[in-house]
Amino acid sequence: MALVTKQILDTPIQHHFSPYSDNGGTTVAVAGPDYAIIASDTRLSAGYSIYTREQSKLFTLSETTVLGSSGCWCDILSLTRIIEARMQMYLHEHNKVMSTTSLAKMISIMMYGKRFFPYYTSTIIAGLDPEGKGCVYSYDPIGHTERANFRAGGSSGALLQALLDNQLGFKNQENVDKTPVSLEKAITVVKDAFTAAAERDIYTGDGVHLCAITKDGIKEFNFELRKD
Amino acid sequence: MSIMTYNGGSIVAMTGKNCVAIACDKRFGIQGTALADNFQRIFQVGPHMFVGLPGLGTDTQTVYQKIRFRQNLYELKENRKMSPKVLLSMISNMLYERRFGPYFVEPMVVGLDPETAQPIVGNMDLIGCVNIPSDFVVGGPSSDQLYGMCETLWEPNLEPDDLFETIAQALVNACERNAVSGWGAVVHIIEQDKVTVRHVKTRMD
């Protein structure tokens, strides 16, 4: 018996801490000539369990900017909380609300600041730039950013980006009118995209929360998705 | 590094109204390096039947030869053509024989049933677990992108011309968002009275 106890005590025990979890979720954003829309699904999950069916992943940062983020939910909360604090500091220092373009750059710098312990998120922001045009910026977990006209991110990013290239970027289509789509048409495409994603991706479903940003303000919409 | 995406190459198959279609890109490479733009992954195995073999290039060719061998024996012994469902069962059985040292292919079968002319698409995993859906099947490294495309573009009872447009758009746009797929594409449309093969131009990067 004593021998057994000694053996256990002599064996090194490895302790393990995993700081990240993948809580799934998909975000899609589209920029138009005078509008921007951003949408996320409302399922929050881990592995095969669903935590809730009604958690939007959109964060309204200002009158002209909305952020959508999926990945590690605790990192999303942490990131958005610090972004909001930095926006307050900017407001008090410069006496004006931060523009979407300035915000885009700041988020990139903040994320790269955690280069060696990153926020595990797939983040997209959508809004109006200082000229009133729609804009979308997407980020990788360590702050690489790019301005785009449309972007899909999160667990269904791979499923939806090809679709957006085709339906909004008119890729591989001949003899079509390639003027940017209207706000109504963009909402329809985003809705279809989420319906498709919910069919094949178990981390996407339950509902869609969508924000349409125009010069008149932010309008919110909710759509149902399949719940299995 | 996954052995299933080592050589690239994606395939998609869809049902239509009294027709079926199967399409494939033409790239053959070793991981990031593209080597050929004329690699065949779809093979005709009957008047109205095709098999697609996405996966490891060498196993694509080996499994195709083994399929032909067993199919020839069947057709000589039975003195009748093989139906798509029988072919699926046969390939499934063949792959399961190698359950613990598998061929790295996920075969796909499309065709019109010789008796009823019913359109059939089916596929299986690398050890032969069969799936016969009523709409479409996808395979290869850009299967995620293909699911997104097919799930929105496909609709029931497409006529042959519309089916061609649907499957070509699904494949080309999906392959454009995948680094190991592309470099040209080929589409086969199978109807009761004819089989049409169309080569589709794509961007070559």
Side-chain angles (χ1 to χ4, degrees), chain B residues 20 23-24 38-40 73 78 80-81 97 108 113 126 129 132 135 139 144-145 155 163-164 176 180 190 202-204:
Chain B
V20 279
C24 176
N38 59 354
F39 194 67
Q40 193 183 359
L73 282 184
E78 300 274 327
R80 61 192 169 106
K81 286 288 172 197
E97 284 179 0
M108 213 176 260
D113 190 281
L126 75 171
C129 176
I132 305 176
D135 44 12
D144 276 1
Q145 287 87 344
E155 51 189 280
L163 185 65
F164 166 76
E176 243 168 55
V180 292
I190 301 129
T202 67
R203 42 188 297 166
M204 301 295 273

Side-chain angles (χ1 to χ4, degrees), chain A residues 1-224:
Chain A
M1 192 63 195
L3 189 73
V4 174
T5 316
K6 191 171 183 306
Q7 267 183 352
I8 292 170
L9 290 175
D10 286 349
T11 321
I13 302 162
Q14 194 176 52
H15 291 279
H16 183 70
F17 171 58
S18 169
Y20 293 123
S21 62
D22 184 359
N23 301 109
T26 300
T27 43
V28 173
V30 182
D34 56 352
Y35 68 85
I37 62 175
I38 183 163
S40 82
D41 71 316
T42 60
R43 176 176 293 180
L44 194 71
S45 53
Y48 294 126
S49 344
I50 295 171
Y51 286 144
T52 175
R53 297 186 191 279
E54 43 209 16
Q55 177 58 63
S56 166
K57 293 157 195 82
L58 300 184
F59 299 84
T60 307
L61 299 177
S62 73
E63 299 269 290
T64 55
T65 318
V66 179
L67 177 146
S69 191
S70 55
C72 180
W73 181 239
C74 63
D75 280 357
I76 294 165
L77 291 177
S78 198
L79 175 68
T80 50
R81 199 174 56 99
I82 298 168
I83 290 170
E84 280 163 11
R86 289 286 294 267
M87 287 180 75
Q88 285 288 312
M89 289 159 69
Y90 183 99
L91 178 69
H92 290 124
E93 214 165 293
H94 299 93
N95 207 25
K96 65 177 183 191
V97 178
M98 219 169 171
S99 68
T100 308
T101 43
S102 309
L103 195 55
K105 181 68 80 176
M106 189 191 76
I107 293 171
S108 170
I109 293 163
M110 285 172 61
M111 290 174 94
Y112 194 80
K114 280 179 64 65
R115 173 64 177 79
F116 297 108
F117 184 25
Y119 294 115
Y120 193 69
T121 62
S122 167
T123 301
I124 299 173
I125 63 166
L128 301 177
D129 68 8
E131 291 164 21
K133 288 187 193 136
C135 62
V136 164
Y137 291 86
S138 61
Y139 302 86
D140 78 348
I142 51 172
H144 168 265
T145 182
E146 184 182 21
R147 185 171 173 168
N149 287 325
F150 42 82
R151 183 68 79 204
S155 59
S156 281
L159 278 82
L160 300 185
Q161 190 61 47
L163 181 75
L164 299 183
D165 287 345
N166 186 224
Q167 296 295 308
L168 299 174
F170 306 109
K171 284 279 166 67
N172 302 108
Q173 292 196 59
E174 286 173 0
N175 311 321
V176 286
D177 178 20
K178 296 194 178 181
T179 50
V181 297
S182 66
L183 175 61
E184 291 71 29
K185 170 74 179 166
I187 291 175
T188 313
V189 171
V190 170
K191 238 169 124 174
D192 287 350
F194 273 100
T195 312
E199 289 286 327
R200 298 286 174 175
D201 176 18
I202 59 164
Y203 299 111
T204 300
D206 298 323
V208 181
H209 181 217
L210 189 147
C211 286
I213 308 140
T214 59
K215 63 178 185 336
D216 305 320
I218 299 171
K219 256 194 196 158
E220 295 187 42
F221 302 89
N222 282 291
F223 306 116
E224 294 282 301

Side-chain angles (χ1 to χ4, degrees), chain B residues 29-45:
Chain B
I30 293 179
Q31 296 189 19
T33 312
L35 298 176
D37 65 352
N38 59 354
F39 194 67
Q40 193 183 359
R41 283 186 188 277
I42 297 173
F43 305 93
Q44 186 158 16
V45 289

Side-chain angles (χ1 to χ4, degrees), chain B residues 121-193:
Chain B
V121 299
N123 69 343
M124 66 194 77
D125 67 3
L126 75 171
I127 51 170
C129 176
V130 180
N131 164 43
I132 305 176
S134 59
D135 44 12
F136 53 82
V137 290
V138 301
S142 49
S143 50
D144 276 1
Q145 287 87 344
L146 280 167
Y147 272 129
M149 292 304 300
C150 293
E151 203 61 67
T152 28
L153 297 190
W154 185 86
E155 51 189 280
N157 299 316
L158 287 164
E159 296 293 335
D161 285 352
D162 298 329
L163 185 65
F164 166 76
E165 201 57 36
T166 307
I167 197 167
Q169 286 290 327
L171 183 76
V172 172
N173 286 286
C175 288
E176 243 168 55
R177 280 286 174 181
N178 187 273
V180 292
S181 304
W183 263 34
V186 59
V187 182
H188 304 254
I189 307 286
I190 301 129
E191 293 165 74
Q192 188 57 252
D193 55 345

